[in-house]
Amino acid sequence: MSNPKHDKGEHYLTTPKAEPFLERLIFNNRAIILVLLTILTLFLGYNAVKIQPDASFERMIPLEHPYIVNMLDHRDDLENLGNFVRIAVESKDGDIFSQEYMETLKQITDEVFYLNGVDRSGLKSLWTSNVRWVEVTEQGFQGGTVIPDDYDGSRESLEQLRQNVLRSNEVGRLISDNFKSTIVYAPLYESDPETGEPLDYGTFSRQLEEKIREKYEAQNPNIDIHIVGFAKKVGDLIEGIGSIAWFAGITIALTTLLLFWYSRSVSGTLVPVFTSIIAVFWQLGALRLLGYGLDPYSVLVPFLVFAIGISHGVQIVNAMAVEAAKGFDAITAARLAFRALYIPGMLALISDAFGFLTLFFIEIDVIRDLAVAAGIGVAFVIITNLVLHVLIMSYIGISKGGVRHVQNHGEKQDRKWRLLSNFSHPGVAPISLLIAVIGLGLGLYYKQDLKVGDLDQGAPELRKDSRYNKDNAYIIDNYSTSADVMVVMVKTPVEQCTQYSVLRAMDSLQWELANTPGVQSTASLADVSKIVTKALNEGNWNWYAISRNQTIINASIRNAPSGLINTDCSLTPLLVFLEDHKAETLRTVVDVVEEFAQANSNEEHTFLLAAGNAGVEAATNEVISKAKDMMLIFVYGVVSLLCFLTFRSIRAVLCIVVPLGLTSILCEAIMAVSGIGIKVATLPVIALGVGIGVDYGIYIYSKLEKYLLEGKTLQDAYFETLRSTGKAVVFTGVTLGIGVVTWIFSPIKFQADMGFLLFFMFLWNMIGAIWLLPALARFLLRPDRMLEKAKAAK
């Protein structure tokens, strides 16, 4: 005996106008499509498991910024490009002048020399021949290597070593101010010289730990080793990626439990989780085929792809449960759910994808990689959610427990939704808008303090108590020259870099920088000339100046240290050692140098910014600062355009986009109050939050419009919207928020920051769609006109 509801559904489904082409294509070829998708899953899954962590110094910097262009143009003339490691070997008891310490330092220097990726010609240590001492005697200049040629570890040779160290000008640089540690400085190649492949920072960092730190601390219990540098920081981040697997498991487990509590259906729980995981495997497999790896910043994108898949999967489960409760069988319920959701679902997902792709306009490869990864992931979610998920459910259907749950909780839930529908009431809507305006004002006030760049010392991507930041703090406390170096390049015609006018201008800039907050010290060829000129005149301080006599200048810089002058004397660097690389420090120093360069550059000499790790940070901050507003304009422009093309109404666009705008402003205010700067790690969160948040508004508005066009009043239409779609939106916002809030316990600080910010954006975008959208609809929508237009269109 046939089910009348089923018959009615079949008649409705076979009406040509009601049955979209996509629906016929998908459901009339279910078995073939599932086989093809299974083959695709096996192929991409095989590639997904082979994807490797990837990080590159050049991919994390804005290669098109003038500072970076200058730096790379003069790569061969500069020793300090920002990609190096500094290994401080500390003596716990006593000082460095002991046979045991020096023997350990020698072994460490040799070990570092043979590490793959180290530029051996630039390696510096007390044991390398490029670390020398120089003094002026009655017979003229004398000098030699800091380690005496006849060094044998005896008391006499150690005393000679002490004298050489004091004469070397390396105290505060390679040798700590208190003589309790020395540094092994190792510049790095961008590519492994043996393989030609990009340097694997994860492997390099593990070698530093196993072959240097662990080995020699165990060998000599009186030794502590501290390691800093870009490669070590990235290596520690890659190491932290391992912990992300735990958070992935926790997120999936929590989502599964909450989804079962929501649907009370095994199939309604496992299928959306399964298809969302499939989307992640497709994404990772495609990225590997395209030549991408997972760097420390884009490794979180699979989380977001999973979250987006769950977000849309819940809508499918919810719609099918409602149809199944009416008596429809699995395939009919699946077709009705597809028909109701494929337009808003595709609109939301396409908005997500284009929103993420706007990150591609930021001229930093690591952010562009993130944009590509997120865009590909969302594109796959369109298939896994609207095709794979629906087809699997058309065979399995909603379990009886899920159907009973919908049928038994209808009236109880109706009371809750009836209460929430008052957000669209004429008396409540103005209050909601007033609260939103107050929130907007507070957000605009607090976001004024939002900074671009790092706000903490050391590596803000890692916790303050991380091993790396403790090592960095040790070096800052014990050395005069910090790890944060900005290099100003002074360019001249060939053989003119030692002219009086050039050195005098450099000396003037150094004087200005010495009086600039945040600058620890400076060093340049001008310093060498003044020191040697004084030494040549019996150490008389009256001669501590740059001589106007070119012959004296030439004599004074004859033995200048390597790195302060290039081979054809057309470029000399001015090193600026900073107290930190905080955004405010970098901005202050850059402003001083740029103002000086504009006033003092001429045909004889030009001041160019900037090399060194601080120069790279300054360039990155400028790119992010300029790109942030443009990125938001593109994100909102794309989302608004797609919404307009779908709903053909500016009022509809405002209802969807205004809550998103309020969320973005409040998010920036929270970042300012929480001390989180806008940087490579956090900038994408703003775009990702908008891209994911628009889904809520699109689903709510599409249902609201449908009921308004049926002739219902706004409050009744919103009540029906909440009953059908609102509960899925609320559940999704809460579930995704709970899933990402676990990230705040991650050892990687920027993952914790992203978790905190995404938790806020997931929840607040959901609240905006449920609370603010209907209030805006009360003032912007005109149901009578919408109904007239719909009748006229028919």
Side-chain angles (χ1 to χ4, degrees), residues 456-473:
D456 300 305
Q457 287 185 338
E461 297 90 344
L462 300 167
R463 299 282 188 181
K464 284 186 177 181
D465 59 353
S466 68
R467 179 178 57 200
Y468 182 92
N469 281 329
K470 287 181 178 178
D471 288 348
N472 187 75

Side-chain angles (χ1 to χ4, degrees), residues 327-338:
F328 292 115
D329 61 10
I331 186 170
T332 306
R335 295 186 75 153
L336 287 170
F338 176 86

Side-chain angles (χ1 to χ4, degrees), residues 486-749:
M486 182 176 292
V487 181
V488 180
M489 294 158 280
V490 185
K491 188 172 177 59
T492 67
V494 175
E495 301 297 339
Q496 300 297 306
C497 71
T498 61
Q499 295 299 305
Y500 170 77
S501 59
V502 177
L503 297 185
R504 187 74 184 87
M506 292 172 66
D507 192 45
S508 298
L509 176 56
Q510 286 182 255
W511 185 88
E512 289 200 22
L513 288 169
N515 292 279
T516 300
V519 174
Q520 195 179 65
S521 62
T522 62
S524 77
L525 202 60
D527 293 329
V528 176
S529 181
K530 291 193 295 182
I531 290 169
V532 175
T533 300
K534 176 176 77 78
L536 288 171
N537 289 276
E538 300 179 351
N540 191 324
W541 282 97
N542 291 329
W543 288 90
Y544 186 71
I546 299 170
S547 174
R548 293 178 180 272
N549 187 315
Q550 192 61 44
T551 303
I552 295 177
I553 291 177
N554 293 342
S556 68
I557 55 91
R558 185 178 302 157
N559 295 309
S562 63
L564 289 183
I565 186 170
N566 69 343
T567 53
D568 63 0
C569 193
S570 62
L571 183 135
T572 178
L574 191 161
L575 309 181
V576 187
F577 299 97
L578 308 179
E579 293 176 357
D580 52 60
H581 56 264
K582 294 180 182 178
E584 189 174 351
T585 302
L586 295 177
R587 185 69 263 164
T588 301
V589 173
V590 165
D591 287 344
V592 169
V593 176
E594 287 187 337
E595 184 179 348
F596 184 90
Q598 188 173 0
N600 292 275
S601 293
N602 52 45
E603 294 180 358
E604 295 180 354
H605 51 263
T606 305
F607 290 85
L608 302 176
L609 281 166
N613 66 311
V616 170
E617 291 275 358
T620 304
N621 289 353
E622 282 198 8
V623 167
I624 289 176
S625 181
K626 292 177 181 177
K628 179 179 75 75
D629 294 334
M630 182 181 295
M631 179 200 73
L632 284 175
I633 290 171
F634 273 115
V635 169
Y636 279 100
V638 167
V639 168
S640 299
L641 178 61
L642 289 172
C643 289
F644 179 77
L645 292 176
T646 302
F647 298 113
R648 303 298 175 91
S649 166
I650 294 292
R651 298 172 186 271
V653 172
L654 291 174
C655 286
I656 295 171
V657 171
V658 168
L660 291 178
L662 177 61
T663 302
S664 292
I665 291 170
L666 291 176
C667 179
E668 292 188 11
I670 286 177
M671 290 175 69
V673 172
S674 303
I676 302 173
I678 297 182
K679 48 195 175 184
V680 172
T682 55
L683 176 64
V685 174
I686 300 172
L688 297 173
V690 174
I692 296 174
V694 71
D695 300 352
Y696 304 139
I698 288 172
Y699 278 119
I700 291 289
Y701 184 84
S702 63
K703 280 290 186 180
L704 180 64
E705 183 184 61
K706 172 181 177 293
Y707 290 121
L708 288 174
L709 293 177
E710 290 177 359
K712 297 182 185 296
T713 64
L714 178 61
Q715 188 163 348
D716 287 341
Y718 189 54
F719 168 66
E720 295 296 335
T721 299
L722 290 173
R723 288 183 66 202
S724 56
T725 297
K727 61 181 179 180
V729 167
V730 172
F731 169 79
T732 302
V734 173
T735 301
L736 297 184
I738 292 174
V740 297
V741 79
T742 59
W743 298 3
I744 64 175
F745 301 106
S746 171
I748 299 178
K749 179 66 163 56

Side-chain angles (χ1 to χ4, degrees), residues 75-94:
R75 177 194 296 266
D76 296 334
D77 296 327
L78 298 168
E79 284 191 358
N80 194 330
L81 286 175
N83 197 5
F84 59 85
V85 291
R86 299 169 79 193
I87 304 169
V89 183
E90 176 194 4
S91 175
K92 296 180 185 177
D93 297 322

Side-chain angles (χ1 to χ4, degrees), residues 47 103 173 363 391 406 469 477 527 589 661 669 735 749 787:
N47 284 280
E103 180 59 31
R173 297 184 180 184
E363 298 171 350
L391 289 184
V406 173
N469 281 329
D477 293 341
D527 293 329
V589 173
T735 301
K749 179 66 163 56
L787 200 55

